[in-house]
């Protein structure tokens, strides 16, 4: 559609510079002289929040009517790539109908702390799940001609001081956790655009971090699209353009155009850099024009029904003692809690949708049973209300069973600020205790965007985590409560027992705009498993109204050096009703030489089974799935050795395991005077070079054992093993010159 090179040749410097920031909050700049149109971008990941720009100066929060789908925290629990692709497609239809060219999502930052106010929008604590879910959403949207903006690149893991916080993140966790999800989404989703994050990483704003935006994103991962800022994230327009940023949003005023043009005239921005940036804006405009489907209409009610279906697949049955659920239809059921009537189904901030309609559980439940309603608590209060509780207890007593609708009121979690507690409001906890005492057949439904502490979890027989389930969430909850649908989702994040147990408790959200990721790679289940800590509900956990058995775990080979291995497992529905099972595949190193998680999710699959049916689930793994980020080589390295490949129903419900040997060259060992003697001796041929040290060292060790006994010998050998070569002069009669010559000779030795 656009001849980009021709246009670049015809454009003036000023015209090219004008493209490098928005026209306003939501549009790119047109160049009418050359027939370059403006395109519109709009939020958000679970529904179209398009400002109604027919009005003068539309406010930030005015948005047209759209369908609100379940938020990311829930859809990630579906572990279902096809569901996310379908969601992307539905959102694309709504964007096409509204002439929106780019939808600002998916939001895929890792859940470092459950306190993060934005976690309702994000997917997981695990980079593989987060990256796969994001990639699927991208494919579904872009396949229908609408661009995405994968956000927020990178490490936007808190809302506190998000626009200026400097995060100190060591290389390994940065690569293995906070970039790995984006790497997977970029390489498997091929996003048209990325949105850089507000924060600094190791001292540099993401909006002007050339290592991040060019070296990693483009040179390593092959990203070929455009990078825009988060709204207001640009710190230095010129530095941004030189780093691989193309579009500053929203418009920061004419001076940034002039600043860029002056920088070109000064030579601080080369014509090549300017054409590269302007060319990427033109490429985006071209992709949007290519993808546009004029006259698109869609069935809003059909989208509403889809939202209900997706919500069913995104709600996690955490507990179901004595098979309390599903409830019998036609009985008398007490629905207690304000969320039964006013469900909280989305979060606050840029993703907030003007929903086309809302379906609450009270309305939907009436299709299944006689519902008695009691509000139970006041959404705007925290203190228990004795009158409301008394009404609720009365309703619970009169009914065959009770369902409590609890969760986090709007102001408890939102974009823009973090939570300071994982607790539910006290008036809700008090209500649980009172109702449970009156009605043992009580289930709890939770409406929250991130984990909450559940002090009564071991006493309430059934708990359904509904997350923020979109505008039809009440229908999905009713469908699941009464068995119209069988729950199949599994947690994409750990529910801890206490806030104090969380991995970054001591460092979140940091002090004075400085966040130190001192927990390293120990995020989510990686942390709790490594420390064998109890949790309320583990990553990957979720129940069904039926049961499943795993059998016949098979690897296509028991040795992996390059290429890939096929892993398959049979799953049987051993219960009485149809259901879907999410099978998780973890990799578990048996004797790692570096500190590694107990297990890491590397693949997953969802399988639908009729009662009694068996199907084989097959996935493939590659050496990269066994690798960690080795800072010595600044790259991925799969340690040679033995691993277990595990087929699991959750990170703490490992059903089957098979041993696999990974073959790989040993790491090149950096040889220097710092090198411990024991490491040096592992280099083939080293002993003859170190012979002079050897004899002296052995004589010292021998002396020690004469004088100090075996323990003395062991101590001396351990000391010697870890003695840096340069320190040998202090404990053996070799000279510094001898050591230097030995190091030189060792450096010349070929390593295996
Ligand atoms: C917000 C959000 C971002 C959103 C953008 C536009 O600050 O961080 O996710 O897309 O601004 O509303």
């Amino acid at each position: 559609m656009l001849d980009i090179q021709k246009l670049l040749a015809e454009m003036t410097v000023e015209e090219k510079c004008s493209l490098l920031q928005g026209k306003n909050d939501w549009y790119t700049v047109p160049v009418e002289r050359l027939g370059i149109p403006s395109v519109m971008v709009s939020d958000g990941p679970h529904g179209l929040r398009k400002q109604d720009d027919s009005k003068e100066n539309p406010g930030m929060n005015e948005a047209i009517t759209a369908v609100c789908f379940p938020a990311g925290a829930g859809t990630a629990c579906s572990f279902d790539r096809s569901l996310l692709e379908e969601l992307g497609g539905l959102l694309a239809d709504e964007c096409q109908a509204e002439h929106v060219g780019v939808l600002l999502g998916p939001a895929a930052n890792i859940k470092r702390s459950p306190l993060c106010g934005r976690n309702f929008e994000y997917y997981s604590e695990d980079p593989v799940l987060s990256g796969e879910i994001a990639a699927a959403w991208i494919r579904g949207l872009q396949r229908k001609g609408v661009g995405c903006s994968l956000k927020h690149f990178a490490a936007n893991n808190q809302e506190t001081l998000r626009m200026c916080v400097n995060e100190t993140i060591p290389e390994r966790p940065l690569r293995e956790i906070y970039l790995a999800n984006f790497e997977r989404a970029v390489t498997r989703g091929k996003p048209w655009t990325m949105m850089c994050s507000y924060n600094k990483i190791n001292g540099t704003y993401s909006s002007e971090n050339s290592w991040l935006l060019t070296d990693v994103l483009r040179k390593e991962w092959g990203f070929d699209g455009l990078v825009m800022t988060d709204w207001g994230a640009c710190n230095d327009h010129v530095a941004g353009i030189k780093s691989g940023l193309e579009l500053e949003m929203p418009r920061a005023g004419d001076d940034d155009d002039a600043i860029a043009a002056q920088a070109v005239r000064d030579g601080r921005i080369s014509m090549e850099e300017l054409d590269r940036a302007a060319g990427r804006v033109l490429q985006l405009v071209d992709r949007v024009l290519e993808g546009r489907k004029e006259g698109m209409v869609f069935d809003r009610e059909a989208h509403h029904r889809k939202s209900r279906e997706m919500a069913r697949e995104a709600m996690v049955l955490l507990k179901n003692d004595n098979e309390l659920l599903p409830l019998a239809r036609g009985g008398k059921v007490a629905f207690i809690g304000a969320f039964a009537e006013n469900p909280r189904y989305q979060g606050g901030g840029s993703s907030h949708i003007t929903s086309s309609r809302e379906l609450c559980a009270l309305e939907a439940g009436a299709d299944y049973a006689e519902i008695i309603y009691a509000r139970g608590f006041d959404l705007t209060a925290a203190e228990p209300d004795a009158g409301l509780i008394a009404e609720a207890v009365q309703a619970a007593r009169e009914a065959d069973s009770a369902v409590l609708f609890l969760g986090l009121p709007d102001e408890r979690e939102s974009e823009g600020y973090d939570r300071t507690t994982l607790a539910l409001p006290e008036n809700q906890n008090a209500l649980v205790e009172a109702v449970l005492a009156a009605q043992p057949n009580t289930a709890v439904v939770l409406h929250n965007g991130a984990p909450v502490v559940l002090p009564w979890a071991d006493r309430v027989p059934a708990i359904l985590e509904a997350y923020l389930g979109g505008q039809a969430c009440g229908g999905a909850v009713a469908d699941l409560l009464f068995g119209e649908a069988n729950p199949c989702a599994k947690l994409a994040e750990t529910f801890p027992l206490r806030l104090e147990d969380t991995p970054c408790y001591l460092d979140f959200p940091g002090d004075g705009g400085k966040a130190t990721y001192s927990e390293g790679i120990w995020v989510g289940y990686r942390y709790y498993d490594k420390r064998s800590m109890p949790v309320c509900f583990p990553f990957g956990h979720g129940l069904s109204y039926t049961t499943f058995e795993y059998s016949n775990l098979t690897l296509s080979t028991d040795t992996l050096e390059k290429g890939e291995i096929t892993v398959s497992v049979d799953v049987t529905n051993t219960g009485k009703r149809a259901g879907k099972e999410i099978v998780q595949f973890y990799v578990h190193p048996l004797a790692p030489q570096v500190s590694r998680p107990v297990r890491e999710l590397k693949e997953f699959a969802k399988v639908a089974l009729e009662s009694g049916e068996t199907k084989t689930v097959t996935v493939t793994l590659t050496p990269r799935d066994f690798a960690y980020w080795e800072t010595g080589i600044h790259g991925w390295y799969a340690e040679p050795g033995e691993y277990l490949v595990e087929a699991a129903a959750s990170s703490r419900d490992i059903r089957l395991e098979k041993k696999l040997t990974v073959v790989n060259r040993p790491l090149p060992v950096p040889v220097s005077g710092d090198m411990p003697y024991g490491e040096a001796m592992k280099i083939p041929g080293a002993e003859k070079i170190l012979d002079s040290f050897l004899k002296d060292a052995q004589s010292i060790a021998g002396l020690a054992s004469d004088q100090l006994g075996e323990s003395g010998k062991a101590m001396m050998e351990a000391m010697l093993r870890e003695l840096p070569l340069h320190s040998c002069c202090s404990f053996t009669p070799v000279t510094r010159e001898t050591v230097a010559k030995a190091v030189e000779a060792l450096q010349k030795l070929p390593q295996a």
Side-chain angles (χ1 to χ4, degrees), residues 144-322:
K144 289 200 165 176
V146 175
C148 80
S149 195
L150 174 58
K151 66 189 185 182
H152 307 88
F153 188 59
N156 179 181
N157 307 111
Q158 65 186 61
E159 292 301 287
T160 306
L161 288 169
R162 63 171 172 162
M163 296 186 81
C164 60
V165 64
N166 179 24
E167 298 163 350
T168 301
I169 311 178
E171 183 179 352
R172 207 178 147 200
L174 183 55
R175 284 288 189 162
E176 284 186 35
I177 306 293
Y178 300 101
L179 293 183
N181 60 322
F182 284 106
E183 178 183 8
R184 198 170 274 256
V186 166
T187 54
R188 298 176 187 210
K190 308 283 183 211
W192 290 4
T193 86
M194 302 286 290
M195 183 188 292
C196 77
S197 60
Y198 286 119
N199 49 276
K200 294 177 184 175
I201 298 173
N202 299 326
T204 305
Y205 278 114
S206 297
S207 60
E208 55 200 51
N209 187 332
S210 59
W211 171 79
L212 187 72
L213 303 183
T214 297
D215 298 348
V216 173
L217 180 61
R218 297 179 195 278
K219 290 179 180 168
E220 272 189 50
W221 299 349
F223 173 67
D224 73 345
L226 169 143
V227 176
M228 68 175 81
T229 63
D230 196 340
W231 269 232
C234 181
N235 168 57
D236 177 329
H237 190 57
V238 173
I241 294 165
K242 295 180 73 67
S243 302
L245 170 73
E246 285 78 40
L247 183 61
E248 174 186 350
M249 292 300 283
R251 178 169 191 76
D254 298 343
D255 54 341
D256 266 8
D257 290 354
I259 287 168
Q262 185 56 48
V264 173
R265 282 191 285 276
D266 295 351
R268 283 176 293 123
I269 293 179
S270 69
M271 279 315 288
E272 184 201 355
E273 286 168 333
L274 178 61
D275 282 354
R276 180 189 68 194
R280 285 170 180 161
V281 176
L282 294 177
Q283 176 196 59
L284 175 63
V285 174
D286 187 43
R287 282 173 163 173
V288 169
L289 295 176
E290 285 284 341
R292 176 154 292 163
K293 294 180 176 57
E294 292 299 347
M296 162 66 78
V297 288
F298 69 93
D299 178 344
R300 183 161 281 145
E301 263 314 290
H303 280 207
H304 174 79
R305 288 191 297 274
K306 277 291 180 190
S307 180
R308 179 171 180 165
E309 288 169 26
M310 290 178 176
R312 289 184 204 145
E313 307 271 319
M315 295 180 176
V316 187
L317 181 59
L318 296 175
K319 194 179 177 201
N320 191 25
D321 289 354
N322 318 314

Side-chain angles (χ1 to χ4, degrees), residues 55-109:
K55 297 176 186 165
E56 274 307 304
N57 304 323
M60 278 303 281
N61 292 326
E62 289 169 28
I64 62 166
T65 299
V67 173
C68 183
F69 292 91
T75 52
C77 296
S78 71
F79 282 74
D80 189 336
R81 297 174 180 88
S82 58
L83 183 143
L84 272 297
E85 290 197 19
E86 183 177 21
L87 172 57
L90 297 174
L91 292 171
D93 291 346
E94 299 205 17
C95 289
Q96 292 284 12
E98 292 293 340
H99 280 99
V100 170
V102 176
L103 190 60
L104 302 172
N109 290 103

Side-chain angles (χ1 to χ4, degrees), residues 13 46 198 239 342 427 517 734:
V13 166
H46 48 262
Y198 286 119
N342 297 298
N427 55 8
Y517 286 40
V734 292

Side-chain angles (χ1 to χ4, degrees), residues 377-420:
F377 59 90
D378 185 334
L379 268 174
T380 58
E383 292 310 309
D385 178 314
L388 291 176
I389 289 179
E391 272 175 28
V393 166
Q394 185 52 35
R397 275 209 185 97
E398 285 171 18
D400 308 318
S401 58
V403 181
L404 285 159
F405 291 80
L406 311 176
L408 292 174
D410 278 330
E411 68 282 356
R412 283 293 188 106
E413 64 176 341
S414 164
E415 176 179 340
Y417 55 88
D418 297 317
R419 284 192 287 166
T420 54

